[in-house]
Amino acid sequence: MDRSSHTRSRRIAFVAVAAAAALTLAGCSSGSGGKESEEGGADASAGKANTPRMKVALVTHQAPGDTFWDIVRKGAEAAAAKDNVDLVYSNDPNAGTQANLVQNAIDQKVDGIAVTLAKPDALKAVIAKANAAGIPVVGLNSGLTDWKDLDLLEFFGQDESVAGEAFGKKLNEVGAKNTVCVIHEQGNVGLTQRCDGVKKTFKGETQILNVNGTDMPSVKSTITAKLKQDSSIDYVVTLGAPFAPTAVQSVGDAGSKAKVATFDLNKELAKAIEAGDIEFAVDQQPYLQGYLAVDGLWLYKNNGNYSGGGEQPVLTGPAFVDKSNVDAVSEYAAKGTR
């Protein structure tokens, strides 16, 4: 069965289930039931759903200590609270283990699965099993170039190649000449696409430095050694917010004059941009990715809705944050929603 017919049959099945259940939305912000509209259905204004409880598994490639995923999870939990969803979160940076976690979700007969595709080939078979079991799967964060081939329903995230190319152009604007792009997880296709994008548009030299992102002292020492080895490096590019402050420390330890810019944002990084320690960041809105993934599965089960017609991703970035606009973002970063 080809992808279009397989996806279509899956959609028909779930729309039928939704119709049979006669599901409605609640229209008040408290825990009480929603009021009925003139047409007889529930008021669908902002509030909490009174639809039947459903279970959604969110499975990511989060590595221990990577606080980026706290923001993704916070967004997913907000959507789950609104949508009356039992959210089950699990994670592992090892692709084989992540695939096993997806299989666990299938075995639990969840109503939907949201998954990151940092290493899509390792997840292809298990996602096919989820589809065969009639469980809708959406992608988020990593895997924009692969989600359709894996027959996912929707994708919420950033085009990493486009983000990387925009980053390279930004480096040109600030006059950079020699940059080192720090990859904190080898084999992660999204991170590789970011550095490749930078190399494509940046007119100066782009060097690649692989580090062990699960060991921050090692990250610090590896970047420090690189800066000591090549004093001409004038920009360090990190691919995750938690690594940017460490890169700043490395610059100091190496006696380098290099500046630091990064992909991704959190409240600490917003403060660092305000202080001038970090030059700029690319925000892909991880909170929105988590929120939309869970909400998308709820909308599909209850209404048969899916974004992008099953063909186009929902893009949440990239957006640049620097001193010129960080004040407008800091309030939300402090709340953990940017």
Side-chain angles (χ1 to χ4, degrees):
M1 182 181 293
D2 63 24
R3 178 183 179 274
S4 59
S5 59
H6 177 70
T7 303
R8 183 165 55 251
S9 63
R10 211 169 72 230
R11 288 171 183 156
I12 292 171
F14 273 86
V15 171
V17 170
L23 303 176
T24 58
L25 296 178
C28 61
S29 58
S30 67
S32 60
K35 64 181 180 180
E36 294 292 314
S37 68
E38 293 179 359
E39 292 75 22
D43 182 350
S45 61
K48 186 173 182 179
N50 65 358
T51 49
R53 189 78 164 167
M54 63 180 287
K55 180 178 284 189
V56 168
L58 172 58
V59 186
T60 78
H61 62 280
Q62 176 182 1
D66 190 344
T67 55
F68 170 88
W69 296 99
D70 296 342
I71 305 176
V72 174
R73 188 172 180 179
K74 187 173 183 178
E77 289 172 344
K82 178 181 72 70
D83 294 339
N84 194 25
V85 166
D86 178 13
L87 180 66
V88 181
Y89 181 80
S90 59
N91 61 284
D92 200 285
N94 180 278
T97 306
Q98 188 189 9
N100 290 337
L101 294 174
V102 174
Q103 181 62 58
N104 290 344
I106 297 171
D107 295 341
Q108 293 175 36
K109 295 181 169 55
V110 298
D111 298 293
I113 298 171
V115 65
T116 61
L117 303 174
K119 298 170 184 175
D121 289 344
L123 295 169
K124 184 175 183 179
V126 74
I127 289 174
K129 290 181 180 179
N131 287 333
I135 300 173
V137 184
V138 303
L140 70 155
N141 182 261
S142 298
L144 183 139
T145 58
D146 300 279
W147 70 279
K148 286 195 289 184
D149 291 339
L150 271 62
D151 201 17
L152 270 61
L153 181 69
E154 302 166 290
F155 182 85
F156 307 96
Q158 174 176 263
D159 187 321
E160 304 295 7
S161 295
V162 170
E165 291 172 19
F167 204 107
K169 292 177 181 177
K170 183 76 169 178
L171 289 173
N172 292 333
E173 291 174 7
V174 298
K177 301 298 181 185
N178 185 0
T179 185
V180 58
C181 194
V182 182
I183 298 179
H184 57 267
E185 182 184 343
Q186 287 185 261
N188 183 319
V189 293
L191 300 184
T192 301
Q193 288 168 349
R194 288 180 178 182
C195 286
D196 288 346
V198 171
K199 291 179 70 174
K200 183 176 180 180
T201 57
F202 179 48
K203 296 178 181 179
E205 181 181 357
T206 303
Q207 303 181 54
I208 304 298
L209 180 66
N210 288 292
V211 299
N212 179 6
T214 62
D215 183 352
M216 201 61 80
S218 174
V219 172
K220 181 181 177 181
S221 62
T222 304
I223 297 175
T224 300
K226 180 65 177 178
L227 292 173
K228 286 183 176 179
Q229 174 194 346
D230 186 352
S231 60
S232 69
I233 294 172
D234 54 6
Y235 260 85
V236 178
V237 177
T238 57
L239 304 184
F243 304 98
T246 298
V248 172
Q249 295 175 15
S250 295
V251 168
D253 290 350
S256 170
K257 295 182 179 179
K259 297 178 179 179
V260 177
T262 190
F263 288 80
D264 297 338
L265 187 73
N266 58 26
K267 62 181 180 181
E268 290 80 16
L269 196 60
K271 292 178 181 178
I273 292 174
E274 289 177 331
D277 296 328
I278 306 293
E279 297 302 304
F280 59 86
V282 172
D283 182 20
Q284 62 173 310
Q285 300 190 94
Y287 180 97
L288 190 59
Q289 293 172 6
Y291 186 97
L292 292 177
V294 172
D295 202 45
L297 287 166
W298 175 81
L299 284 166
Y300 181 61
K301 180 172 177 62
N302 291 290
N303 298 339
N305 302 135
Y306 52 94
S307 300
E311 297 296 330
Q312 298 298 325
V314 177
L315 298 181
T316 62
F320 282 98
V321 179
D322 56 23
K323 271 211 165 185
S324 69
N325 62 357
V326 68
D327 289 345
V329 176
S330 293
E331 172 188 353
Y332 305 107
K335 294 192 299 183
T337 59
R338 284 292 296 270

